Amino acid sequence: MEIIRQVLERTGDKWTILVVASLQDGASRYTDLQRGVPGISQRMLTLTLRQLLRDGLITRTAYAEVPPRVEYALTSLGTSLLDTMLALIDWAGTHHEEIQQNQAQFDAASSA
Amino acid sequence: MEIIRQVLERTGDKWTILVVASLQDGASRYTDLQRGVPGISQRMLTLTLRQLLRDGLITRTAYAEVPPRVEYALTSLGTSLLDTMLALIDWAGTHHEEIQQNQAQFDAASSA
DNA sequence: CCGAATCCTATACGATACTG
DNA sequence: CAGTATCGTATAGGATTCGG
């Protein structure tokens, strides 16, 4: 019950899973993530990264160079979350068409 | 990418999974669900049920009796979604404590 | 008993401009 | 390059009241 609310707070927002997936996909720097997650604002990328960092799902490594370089990476915890989410994404892929048909049928019946 | 957004729209909201879980847990009538999902408002229960109905995740059966009786039930599609979500909930249960420790450590380091 | 309708508010998010 | 700060808005959702 409360555990469900907590997992949804972590995974149910608009960007978290996309950022995690992008990290798994090879992105590591802030700019990589901006183009790896199309549509995300700097604000939301920053906030999402901080949240992931706080949860221990990613690491952040800053290199004292010019120009500055910062690399993010999934922890094993972050990877395990993504693996679990992939099952859900797979479910969606499998049933997507069926759901669309259900919706169309429902809408047709509603307007009748 | 877009599929992720769609699955999150379906599962990432505050009540959907809780309603589905409550149905799996034995609830079937509107009033059952109100007490099976503590804190849900009538408005959100109604909206959530309509969405689930539209997606074909539940069925609705109204009996022409006095007093009226309406029964909701998971379809096999709804059950399969819940099964997939249970893996995620299980992940959360497994790692909950670890995440809390990470947060505490992060917060301590931040305030330092 | 099973909802629908209306009103209201909090918060999530985007856009924009600026900094080390 | 990698952020932060401020502002404005859209939307999710709660509270309340009413209807079949």
Side-chain angles (χ1 to χ4, degrees), chain A residues 3-95:
Chain A
I3 191 79
I4 295 181
R5 181 125 322 136
Q6 287 172 5
V7 63
L8 288 179
E9 272 176 30
R10 193 160 291 105
T11 63
D13 73 293
K14 199 171 175 183
W15 300 112
T16 294
I17 298 305
L18 295 175
V19 168
V20 169
S22 185
L23 285 171
Q24 180 76 321
D25 202 44
S28 61
R29 302 180 60 172
Y30 191 89
T31 313
D32 292 343
L33 291 167
Q34 282 196 88
R35 53 166 254 293
V37 184
I40 195 168
S41 62
Q42 289 194 338
R43 172 190 154 83
M44 287 317 294
L45 179 53
T46 298
L47 290 178
T48 302
L49 287 171
R50 200 201 319 277
Q51 170 81 36
L52 288 169
L53 215 48
R54 186 172 115 97
D55 287 346
L57 296 170
I58 64 174
T59 59
R60 188 194 118 113
T61 311
Y63 297 90
E65 303 172 354
V66 178
R69 180 165 57 99
V70 177
E71 291 192 347
Y72 295 93
L74 290 177
T75 61
S76 62
L77 189 61
T79 303
S80 74
L81 173 60
L82 183 59
D83 288 345
T84 306
M85 286 298 300
L86 285 179
L88 189 57
I89 295 167
D90 185 62
W91 179 91
T94 302
H95 299 290

Side-chain angles (χ1 to χ4, degrees), chain A residues 5 106, chain B residues 9-23 30 33 37 39-60 72 74 81:
Chain A
R5 181 125 322 136
F106 181 93
Chain B
E9 272 177 29
R10 193 159 290 105
T11 63
D13 72 293
K14 199 170 173 182
W15 299 112
T16 295
I17 299 305
L18 294 175
V19 168
V20 170
S22 185
L23 284 170
Y30 191 89
L33 290 167
V37 185
I40 196 169
S41 62
Q42 288 194 338
R43 171 188 155 84
M44 289 315 297
L45 180 53
T46 298
L47 290 179
T48 302
L49 287 172
R50 200 202 320 277
Q51 170 81 38
L52 288 170
L53 214 50
R54 185 171 116 98
D55 288 345
L57 297 170
I58 64 173
T59 58
R60 188 193 119 115
Y72 295 93
L74 290 176
L81 173 60

